[in-house]
Amino acid sequence: MLKKKNKGNSETPENTADLTSENGQVDGQEQATQTDEAPTAEEKFKEELSQANDKYLRLYAEFDNFRRRTIKEREDARKTEGKDVIVALLPVLDDFERALRSMDTVTDVIPVKEGVALIQHKLKGILAQKGLKEMQSIGTTFDPDLHEAITSIPAPTDDMKGKVVDEMEKGYELNEKVVRFAKVIVGA
C-alpha cells in the first residue's frame, strides 16, 4: 500500500523517497535511475573535451589541406609564370626565322638591315608592354645602385667628373625594379 504524502512538503525529495509500491519497493529507485541518466559535471567536461578535440582535429586537417593546396598552386604558378612573356615573344622568333631565310637569297643588304631593325623594334615594344624599361645612363651621375663601373677614364670636361661617360651594356628596370645594372665607364 501507498503511504500518504504530507501535503506541506510534497515537493521535497525526502517525501518522494518515502513512497513505496505495493510490493514493498521504494519509488526512489525510479528517481535514482533518472539521476543516472542526467550527465554529471565530469561527463559534461569529457563531452566538451571530446567536441573540442574533434573541432581541433578538423581545423588542423583543414589547415593542412589548405597548406598543401597553396604549395601546389605556387609550384604551378612558378612553372607557368613566364608563359605570357614567352607567348608574346613567339612572333618575334618567327620574324627572326623569316629574316634568316631571306638572307640566303637576298643580294641587297639594306632591306635586311631594315628588317632586323623592325624586329628589334617589335621586341622592344613587347618587352615594354611587359614592364621592361631601358635605363638612360650616359651623362648621369654615377649611382652604384643603378650602375656597375667597369673602369674610369679621365673626364673629357670638368663637369663630367663623377658622371657616366660611356655605356658598355644597357641597364634595365622591370616595373621600377632594377633587373640588370648598366655597365658603364665613369669620368674621373
Side-chain angles (χ1 to χ4, degrees):
M1 263 181 114
L2 292 172
K3 292 184 182 179
K4 290 189 175 185
K5 295 182 193 176
N6 185 355
K7 289 185 180 180
N9 293 334
S10 64
E11 294 180 20
T12 60
E14 297 100 22
N15 290 340
T16 57
D18 290 340
L19 296 176
T20 56
S21 64
E22 292 176 2
N23 59 7
Q25 293 184 355
V26 177
D27 282 341
Q29 289 177 346
E30 215 174 275
Q31 179 79 8
T33 57
Q34 288 178 355
T35 57
D36 288 343
E37 290 176 9
T40 63
E42 182 179 343
E43 291 172 347
K44 286 181 183 178
F45 288 135
K46 284 183 181 179
E47 179 66 26
E48 288 176 10
L49 178 64
S50 68
Q51 288 176 354
N53 281 340
D54 183 52
K55 185 178 178 181
Y56 167 75
L57 288 175
R58 289 179 188 273
L59 186 62
Y60 183 79
E62 188 176 323
F63 176 74
D64 195 42
N65 290 338
F66 169 76
R67 185 181 54 81
R68 287 183 194 155
R69 185 175 57 248
T70 54
I71 288 172
K72 184 179 179 197
E73 288 172 356
R74 284 183 192 154
E75 287 175 7
D76 291 344
R78 280 189 205 117
K79 288 178 184 176
T80 60
E81 65 188 2
K83 178 182 175 185
D84 58 335
V85 174
I86 291 172
V87 169
L89 291 177
L90 288 177
V92 175
L93 183 63
D94 294 337
D95 289 345
F96 273 120
E97 288 176 2
R98 282 192 287 275
L100 287 172
R101 279 195 306 257
S102 69
M103 280 186 205
D104 292 337
T105 59
V106 78
T107 56
D108 193 11
V109 179
I110 295 174
V112 174
K113 284 183 181 181
E114 290 174 0
V116 172
L118 286 173
I119 294 171
Q120 181 191 23
H121 181 70
K122 186 176 188 178
L123 176 63
K124 283 184 177 183
I126 290 171
L127 294 175
Q129 287 175 352
K130 300 298 178 186
L132 190 71
K133 187 173 80 172
E134 287 183 8
M135 293 189 309
Q136 299 300 323
S137 300
I138 297 177
T140 62
T141 305
F142 175 73
D143 183 1
D145 292 332
L146 302 175
H147 306 118
E148 181 180 336
I150 295 187
T151 187
S152 62
I153 59 170
T157 60
D158 286 339
D159 61 331
M160 289 298 287
K161 287 186 178 181
K163 293 188 177 186
V164 176
V165 176
D166 195 11
E167 185 176 55
M168 301 305 292
E169 281 185 3
K170 287 187 181 259
Y172 291 94
E173 294 176 338
L174 182 62
N175 298 322
E176 306 299 323
K177 184 176 181 182
V178 177
V179 291
R180 185 171 89 177
F181 296 100
K183 293 184 181 177
V184 297
I185 298 173
V186 181

PDB file of all heavy atoms in Angstrom, residues 75-94:
ATOM      1  N   GLU A  75      53.717  26.153 -56.910  1.00  0.00           N
ATOM      2  CA  GLU A  75      54.581  25.426 -57.839  1.00  0.00           C
ATOM      3  C   GLU A  75      54.053  25.543 -59.265  1.00  0.00           C
ATOM      4  O   GLU A  75      54.821  25.766 -60.199  1.00  0.00           O
ATOM      5  CB  GLU A  75      54.679  23.960 -57.435  1.00  0.00           C
ATOM      6  CG  GLU A  75      55.520  23.717 -56.207  1.00  0.00           C
ATOM      7  CD  GLU A  75      55.503  22.263 -55.767  1.00  0.00           C
ATOM      8  OE1 GLU A  75      54.942  21.403 -56.479  1.00  0.00           O
ATOM      9  OE2 GLU A  75      56.065  21.976 -54.693  1.00  0.00           O
ATOM     10  N   ASP A  76      52.748  25.411 -59.424  1.00  0.00           N
ATOM     11  CA  ASP A  76      52.151  25.547 -60.751  1.00  0.00           C
ATOM     12  C   ASP A  76      52.350  26.959 -61.290  1.00  0.00           C
ATOM     13  O   ASP A  76      52.628  27.146 -62.478  1.00  0.00           O
ATOM     14  CB  ASP A  76      50.660  25.211 -60.712  1.00  0.00           C
ATOM     15  CG  ASP A  76      50.402  23.736 -60.448  1.00  0.00           C
ATOM     16  OD1 ASP A  76      51.344  22.934 -60.599  1.00  0.00           O
ATOM     17  OD2 ASP A  76      49.257  23.396 -60.076  1.00  0.00           O
ATOM     18  N   ALA A  77      52.210  27.950 -60.420  1.00  0.00           N
ATOM     19  CA  ALA A  77      52.395  29.341 -60.847  1.00  0.00           C
ATOM     20  C   ALA A  77      53.840  29.600 -61.258  1.00  0.00           C
ATOM     21  O   ALA A  77      54.097  30.307 -62.232  1.00  0.00           O
ATOM     22  CB  ALA A  77      51.977  30.298 -59.732  1.00  0.00           C
ATOM     23  N   ARG A  78      54.791  29.023 -60.523  1.00  0.00           N
ATOM     24  CA  ARG A  78      56.208  29.202 -60.879  1.00  0.00           C
ATOM     25  C   ARG A  78      56.520  28.569 -62.223  1.00  0.00           C
ATOM     26  O   ARG A  78      57.326  29.092 -62.987  1.00  0.00           O
ATOM     27  CB  ARG A  78      57.100  28.593 -59.808  1.00  0.00           C
ATOM     28  CG  ARG A  78      57.274  29.472 -58.616  1.00  0.00           C
ATOM     29  CD  ARG A  78      58.343  28.932 -57.674  1.00  0.00           C
ATOM     30  NE  ARG A  78      58.072  29.426 -56.362  1.00  0.00           N
ATOM     31  CZ  ARG A  78      57.770  28.702 -55.309  1.00  0.00           C
ATOM     32  NH1 ARG A  78      57.734  27.398 -55.405  1.00  0.00           N
ATOM     33  NH2 ARG A  78      57.515  29.242 -54.145  1.00  0.00           N
ATOM     34  N   LYS A  79      55.898  27.430 -62.490  1.00  0.00           N
ATOM     35  CA  LYS A  79      56.157  26.746 -63.755  1.00  0.00           C
ATOM     36  C   LYS A  79      55.630  27.538 -64.942  1.00  0.00           C
ATOM     37  O   LYS A  79      56.195  27.479 -66.023  1.00  0.00           O
ATOM     38  CB  LYS A  79      55.521  25.357 -63.740  1.00  0.00           C
ATOM     39  CG  LYS A  79      56.239  24.380 -62.839  1.00  0.00           C
ATOM     40  CD  LYS A  79      55.538  23.039 -62.835  1.00  0.00           C
ATOM     41  CE  LYS A  79      56.188  22.081 -61.860  1.00  0.00           C
ATOM     42  NZ  LYS A  79      55.444  20.806 -61.784  1.00  0.00           N
ATOM     43  N   THR A  80      54.545  28.263 -64.745  1.00  0.00           N
ATOM     44  CA  THR A  80      53.917  28.959 -65.859  1.00  0.00           C
ATOM     45  C   THR A  80      53.986  30.478 -65.750  1.00  0.00           C
ATOM     46  O   THR A  80      53.328  31.168 -66.516  1.00  0.00           O
ATOM     47  CB  THR A  80      52.434  28.546 -65.974  1.00  0.00           C
ATOM     48  OG1 THR A  80      51.763  28.895 -64.760  1.00  0.00           O
ATOM     49  CG2 THR A  80      52.293  27.073 -66.256  1.00  0.00           C
ATOM     50  N   GLU A  81      54.785  31.006 -64.818  1.00  0.00           N
ATOM     51  CA  GLU A  81      54.796  32.458 -64.629  1.00  0.00           C
ATOM     52  C   GLU A  81      55.364  33.213 -65.821  1.00  0.00           C
ATOM     53  O   GLU A  81      54.997  34.343 -66.075  1.00  0.00           O
ATOM     54  CB  GLU A  81      55.535  32.842 -63.350  1.00  0.00           C
ATOM     55  CG  GLU A  81      57.004  32.510 -63.337  1.00  0.00           C
ATOM     56  CD  GLU A  81      57.621  32.736 -61.981  1.00  0.00           C
ATOM     57  OE1 GLU A  81      56.918  33.117 -61.049  1.00  0.00           O
ATOM     58  OE2 GLU A  81      58.838  32.524 -61.869  1.00  0.00           O
ATOM     59  N   GLY A  82      56.261  32.637 -66.567  1.00  0.00           N
ATOM     60  CA  GLY A  82      56.833  33.315 -67.728  1.00  0.00           C
ATOM     61  C   GLY A  82      56.106  32.990 -69.014  1.00  0.00           C
ATOM     62  O   GLY A  82      56.526  33.414 -70.091  1.00  0.00           O
ATOM     63  N   LYS A  83      55.016  32.258 -68.910  1.00  0.00           N
ATOM     64  CA  LYS A  83      54.302  31.795 -70.101  1.00  0.00           C
ATOM     65  C   LYS A  83      53.819  32.958 -70.962  1.00  0.00           C
ATOM     66  O   LYS A  83      53.984  32.930 -72.184  1.00  0.00           O
ATOM     67  CB  LYS A  83      53.119  30.932 -69.683  1.00  0.00           C
ATOM     68  CG  LYS A  83      52.293  30.435 -70.829  1.00  0.00           C
ATOM     69  CD  LYS A  83      51.117  29.627 -70.343  1.00  0.00           C
ATOM     70  CE  LYS A  83      50.221  29.235 -71.496  1.00  0.00           C
ATOM     71  NZ  LYS A  83      49.021  28.548 -71.044  1.00  0.00           N
ATOM     72  N   ASP A  84      53.255  33.989 -70.342  1.00  0.00           N
ATOM     73  CA  ASP A  84      52.716  35.096 -71.131  1.00  0.00           C
ATOM     74  C   ASP A  84      53.811  35.853 -71.874  1.00  0.00           C
ATOM     75  O   ASP A  84      53.611  36.290 -73.006  1.00  0.00           O
ATOM     76  CB  ASP A  84      51.892  36.037 -70.254  1.00  0.00           C
ATOM     77  CG  ASP A  84      52.673  36.618 -69.104  1.00  0.00           C
ATOM     78  OD1 ASP A  84      53.659  35.999 -68.683  1.00  0.00           O
ATOM     79  OD2 ASP A  84      52.292  37.704 -68.614  1.00  0.00           O
ATOM     80  N   VAL A  85      54.989  35.969 -71.270  1.00  0.00           N
ATOM     81  CA  VAL A  85      56.105  36.647 -71.938  1.00  0.00           C
ATOM     82  C   VAL A  85      56.590  35.799 -73.111  1.00  0.00           C
ATOM     83  O   VAL A  85      56.834  36.313 -74.211  1.00  0.00           O
ATOM     84  CB  VAL A  85      57.256  36.919 -70.946  1.00  0.00           C
ATOM     85  CG1 VAL A  85      58.463  37.487 -71.663  1.00  0.00           C
ATOM     86  CG2 VAL A  85      56.802  37.861 -69.850  1.00  0.00           C
ATOM     87  N   ILE A  86      56.696  34.506 -72.891  1.00  0.00           N
ATOM     88  CA  ILE A  86      57.168  33.617 -73.953  1.00  0.00           C
ATOM     89  C   ILE A  86      56.189  33.606 -75.123  1.00  0.00           C
ATOM     90  O   ILE A  86      56.592  33.684 -76.285  1.00  0.00           O
ATOM     91  CB  ILE A  86      57.405  32.200 -73.394  1.00  0.00           C
ATOM     92  CG1 ILE A  86      58.609  32.228 -72.447  1.00  0.00           C
ATOM     93  CG2 ILE A  86      57.631  31.195 -74.511  1.00  0.00           C
ATOM     94  CD1 ILE A  86      58.836  30.957 -71.684  1.00  0.00           C
ATOM     95  N   VAL A  87      54.908  33.541 -74.820  1.00  0.00           N
ATOM     96  CA  VAL A  87      53.904  33.557 -75.884  1.00  0.00           C
ATOM     97  C   VAL A  87      53.961  34.870 -76.648  1.00  0.00           C
ATOM     98  O   VAL A  87      53.819  34.897 -77.875  1.00  0.00           O
ATOM     99  CB  VAL A  87      52.491  33.299 -75.289  1.00  0.00           C
ATOM    100  CG1 VAL A  87      51.413  33.571 -76.303  1.00  0.00           C
ATOM    101  CG2 VAL A  87      52.391  31.878 -74.769  1.00  0.00           C
ATOM    102  N   ALA A  88      54.200  35.973 -75.945  1.00  0.00           N
ATOM    103  CA  ALA A  88      54.292  37.272 -76.608  1.00  0.00           C
ATOM    104  C   ALA A  88      55.532  37.367 -77.487  1.00  0.00           C
ATOM    105  O   ALA A  88      55.535  38.096 -78.490  1.00  0.00           O
ATOM    106  CB  ALA A  88      54.293  38.394 -75.576  1.00  0.00           C
ATOM    107  N   LEU A  89      56.595  36.632 -77.145  1.00  0.00           N
ATOM    108  CA  LEU A  89      57.838  36.700 -77.914  1.00  0.00           C
ATOM    109  C   LEU A  89      57.866  35.732 -79.101  1.00  0.00           C
ATOM    110  O   LEU A  89      58.754  35.837 -79.955  1.00  0.00           O
ATOM    111  CB  LEU A  89      59.032  36.409 -77.005  1.00  0.00           C
ATOM    112  CG  LEU A  89      59.335  37.477 -75.961  1.00  0.00           C
ATOM    113  CD1 LEU A  89      60.493  37.036 -75.076  1.00  0.00           C
ATOM    114  CD2 LEU A  89      59.657  38.807 -76.615  1.00  0.00           C
ATOM    115  N   LEU A  90      56.932  34.834 -79.191  1.00  0.00           N
ATOM    116  CA  LEU A  90      56.925  33.880 -80.299  1.00  0.00           C
ATOM    117  C   LEU A  90      56.834  34.553 -81.675  1.00  0.00           C
ATOM    118  O   LEU A  90      57.526  34.121 -82.609  1.00  0.00           O
ATOM    119  CB  LEU A  90      55.802  32.855 -80.119  1.00  0.00           C
ATOM    120  CG  LEU A  90      56.042  31.824 -79.010  1.00  0.00           C
ATOM    121  CD1 LEU A  90      54.834  30.917 -78.874  1.00  0.00           C
ATOM    122  CD2 LEU A  90      57.292  31.026 -79.265  1.00  0.00           C
ATOM    123  N   PRO A  91      56.042  35.607 -81.855  1.00  0.00           N
ATOM    124  CA  PRO A  91      56.051  36.280 -83.179  1.00  0.00           C
ATOM    125  C   PRO A  91      57.419  36.868 -83.532  1.00  0.00           C
ATOM    126  O   PRO A  91      57.806  36.880 -84.710  1.00  0.00           O
ATOM    127  CB  PRO A  91      55.006  37.386 -83.028  1.00  0.00           C
ATOM    128  CG  PRO A  91      54.110  36.935 -81.938  1.00  0.00           C
ATOM    129  CD  PRO A  91      54.972  36.134 -81.012  1.00  0.00           C
ATOM    130  N   VAL A  92      58.155  37.326 -82.542  1.00  0.00           N
ATOM    131  CA  VAL A  92      59.494  37.857 -82.804  1.00  0.00           C
ATOM    132  C   VAL A  92      60.416  36.729 -83.272  1.00  0.00           C
ATOM    133  O   VAL A  92      61.210  36.901 -84.208  1.00  0.00           O
ATOM    134  CB  VAL A  92      60.064  38.551 -81.548  1.00  0.00           C
ATOM    135  CG1 VAL A  92      61.494  39.004 -81.776  1.00  0.00           C
ATOM    136  CG2 VAL A  92      59.189  39.726 -81.156  1.00  0.00           C
ATOM    137  N   LEU A  93      60.282  35.578 -82.660  1.00  0.00           N
ATOM    138  CA  LEU A  93      61.069  34.417 -83.073  1.00  0.00           C
ATOM    139  C   LEU A  93      60.732  34.035 -84.521  1.00  0.00           C
ATOM    140  O   LEU A  93      61.633  33.738 -85.313  1.00  0.00           O
ATOM    141  CB  LEU A  93      60.799  33.242 -82.126  1.00  0.00           C
ATOM    142  CG  LEU A  93      61.584  31.965 -82.369  1.00  0.00           C
ATOM    143  CD1 LEU A  93      63.076  32.202 -82.183  1.00  0.00           C
ATOM    144  CD2 LEU A  93      61.106  30.870 -81.438  1.00  0.00           C
ATOM    145  N   ASP A  94      59.450  34.067 -84.846  1.00  0.00           N
ATOM    146  CA  ASP A  94      59.043  33.786 -86.225  1.00  0.00           C
ATOM    147  C   ASP A  94      59.642  34.798 -87.197  1.00  0.00           C
ATOM    148  O   ASP A  94      60.098  34.432 -88.291  1.00  0.00           O
ATOM    149  CB  ASP A  94      57.515  33.804 -86.342  1.00  0.00           C
ATOM    150  CG  ASP A  94      56.862  32.676 -85.560  1.00  0.00           C
ATOM    151  OD1 ASP A  94      57.535  31.658 -85.299  1.00  0.00           O
ATOM    152  OD2 ASP A  94      55.671  32.832 -85.203  1.00  0.00           O
TER     153      ASP A  94
END
